[in-house]
Amino acid sequence: MKKYFALASLLLLAACKKDAAPSPSNQINPPPSITNYAPLTTGSYWIYDWYLVDSSGNSTFLNLTDSISITGDTIIGLDTFAIAHGGWYGGAPVSSYFRDSIGYLISPDGRISFSATNYIDTLYTWNSSNGNESGYLKMDNIGDTVTVPAGTFSTLNAKYIVVNNAGTWPCLGIYDVHDNQYAYNVGKVRATFQITTDPSCKVYEQRLRSYYIN
């Protein structure tokens, strides 16, 4: 089944547990703003197509398209959050909320989903109620080049990894890895998920087709 992601297509899944925001370490000089990688300006939008990639690397368009747009902002508590409205894997559009919190992309519940400067600390952790699964988010693959319909981009990967603490999944083994790759002055360009019970090693890829940054 499809698990552990959220729309934020800007970004990720609904929070179950969060860590306190870690202190940035190992920074780029000068450090880029989080909004260089996750633009939050009203009127910006991204359009994504979904592909199914088999174990040989052959991809098939699934006739599923998502669109994400920044429709405005709102005050939650004492902070101002951008409103990201859109769907995930062809689902009905919903609204998610994000702001730049000292270099971290953060949601109202405190969940960190991206950093452009911290490549060492774990930014988010999660545990299932029965302890059979756990997950964490960490920045990875700094500068990894990705080609999607919208172009070729150097990316930062907010990699979300689910760990099977009770055994192994067919094909995946212990680790279920989800890529969330962002490009400078563009936003998210590629995301992936797998179905943990599928032994065929297929990967579902969300690829950026077009975008506009206001």
Side-chain angles (χ1 to χ4, degrees), residues 165-181:
N165 299 318
T168 59
W169 289 300
C171 184
L172 298 177
I174 296 174
Y175 300 105
D176 177 18
V177 179
H178 307 269
D179 292 328
N180 296 276
Q181 294 175 271

Side-chain angles (χ1 to χ4, degrees), residues 40 72-82 97-100 106:
L40 301 176
D73 57 46
T74 187
I75 296 176
I76 301 175
L78 300 177
D79 299 307
T80 300
F81 289 82
Y97 306 92
F98 302 96
R99 70 180 178 92
D100 178 1
I106 195 168

Side-chain angles (χ1 to χ4, degrees), residues 1-6 12-14 111 126 128 133-134 160 162 169 176 178 196:
M1 66 183 183
K2 303 184 283 279
K3 339 197 276 192
Y4 314 121
F5 355 82
L12 298 153
L13 78 160
R111 173 171 179 168
W126 168 89
S128 64
E133 296 168 345
S134 58
Y160 182 68
V162 181
W169 289 300
D176 177 18
H178 307 269
T196 56

Side-chain angles (χ1 to χ4, degrees), residues 10-11 34-35 38 40 74 76 78-83 96-114:
L10 278 166
L11 298 152
I34 193 68
T35 54
L40 301 176
T74 187
I76 301 175
L78 300 177
D79 299 307
T80 300
F81 289 82
I83 304 169
S96 297
Y97 306 92
F98 302 96
R99 70 180 178 92
D100 178 1
S101 177
I102 317 177
Y104 296 91
L105 189 67
I106 195 168
S107 57
D109 57 15
R111 173 171 179 168
I112 298 169
S113 53
F114 184 85

Side-chain angles (χ1 to χ4, degrees), residues 10-50:
L10 278 166
L11 298 152
L12 298 153
L13 78 160
C16 300
K17 172 185 173 184
K18 65 181 178 67
D19 288 337
S23 300
S25 51
N26 189 25
Q27 292 185 332
I28 292 175
N29 292 313
S33 166
I34 193 68
T35 54
N36 289 130
Y37 285 93
L40 301 176
T41 48
T42 299
S44 299
Y45 67 81
W46 301 261
I47 298 175
Y48 301 91
D49 291 329
W50 281 96

